[in-house]
Amino acid sequence: MIDLDPRILERIAAALERLAPPPQPSADTLAHPAYLWRNGVLTAARGFAPVPLSLLQGLDRQRESLIANLERLADGHAAQDVLLWGARGTGKSALVKAGVAAVQQQRPGRLALVSVDTLDSLPELFGVLEGVDRAFAVFIDDLGFDGASEARALRSLLDGGAEARPAHVRLLVTSNRRHLLPRDLGEQDSAINPRDVVDDQLALSDRFGLSLGFHTLDQDGYLAIVRAYADRYDLPFDGAEAINWATRRGNRSGRVAWQYVVDLAGRMGRSL
């Protein structure tokens, strides 16, 4: 047996700690309005300042449904998991964050947003949030699956599994796909009953008690969003220029409207 100098052992231990530092402690689950869940650690989100609900034009029905559900969750009442689906750039993610912020203003300290980027860590997150005297809206942005088998774990967590999420935790999921899974025309030629294939594909989206659709804007809707941003930031409104911007981008959406406003403010030497 080799007898090493204790000072050498201390230096070796210190070097190993530098190479593999101890895990960062999770943030206080009662202290912040929004969190990030990454690598098994809950950290406070910096600068959580969503756009005001008033700037989200053309989303009255979706806004009312989401806010009512979030209020129930914050009040400790029965609430639904929510799927927000539809065309890209139509305000799904913005509405989630703005809706949570609006409810936080009405009910301080009773609701928090948790942003998650990997599904396999959800059971661990639910364990962290279990027993916390606060409601949590777990936000999964831009979710989609390549096959039904990848979605079954989430289906189990939503409903029917042994490790379902706690009653004070609900999922808010955005997706460009209404049913989260791609449809394959070849499924009609499968040896499996086509109806069984479709049922399997729809089984995940059916787990969400509240499903909110978002659709491509018409020109008037797009210009209404641009005007709302222009009024808020005291910028000139030029409808023809805004339409030309959207035409060059090949899309009319809330995201494109915001990008135009950012460009306009930059050209005028203004900050937002």
Side-chain angles (χ1 to χ4, degrees), residues 162-203:
E163 264 191 314
R165 70 271 180 278
H168 65 293
V169 177
R170 286 296 176 266
L171 299 186
L172 276 61
V173 174
T174 69
S175 175
N176 293 335
R177 302 168 181 168
R178 181 173 187 176
H179 301 300
L180 295 170
L181 291 162
R183 297 297 302 274
D184 183 1
L185 294 177
E187 68 192 19
Q188 301 297 327
D189 300 325
S190 173
I192 303 174
N193 187 319
R195 180 62 191 178
D196 292 341
V197 174
V198 173
D199 284 346
D200 192 45
Q201 291 182 335
L202 301 186

Side-chain angles (χ1 to χ4, degrees), residues 1-12:
M1 180 176 179
I2 300 176
D3 187 14
L4 294 177
D5 188 323
R7 291 172 296 180
I8 296 177
L9 293 175
E10 290 176 0
R11 289 198 294 269
I12 293 174

Side-chain angles (χ1 to χ4, degrees), residues 46-124:
R46 297 192 304 271
F48 180 62
V51 299
L53 279 173
S54 60
L55 290 182
L56 300 179
Q57 301 291 309
L59 300 176
D60 294 347
R61 179 185 61 82
Q62 297 93 329
R63 178 174 64 242
E64 291 174 3
S65 297
L66 181 64
I67 291 294
N69 192 65
L70 290 172
E71 288 174 342
R72 296 185 196 115
L73 178 61
D75 290 339
H77 303 157
Q80 304 281 8
D81 296 296
V82 186
L83 174 63
L84 303 91
W85 59 270
R88 69 187 190 278
T90 49
K92 301 183 292 296
S93 301
L95 181 58
V96 167
K97 290 177 281 190
V100 169
V103 173
Q104 288 173 340
Q105 290 179 352
Q106 301 165 4
R107 295 159 170 79
R110 291 162 63 179
L111 176 68
L113 184 74
V114 181
S115 178
V116 176
D117 60 2
T118 57
L119 296 179
D120 56 2
S121 66
L122 281 177
E124 185 180 358

Side-chain angles (χ1 to χ4, degrees), residues 49 51 55 228-236 257-272:
V51 299
L55 290 182
Y229 279 131
D231 290 345
R232 178 172 181 80
Y233 296 108
D234 193 24
L235 296 169
W258 173 248
Q259 291 169 345
Y260 165 71
V261 169
V262 170
D263 183 76
L264 175 61
R267 285 187 276 119
M268 297 187 64
R270 299 272 298 278
S271 62
L272 297 176

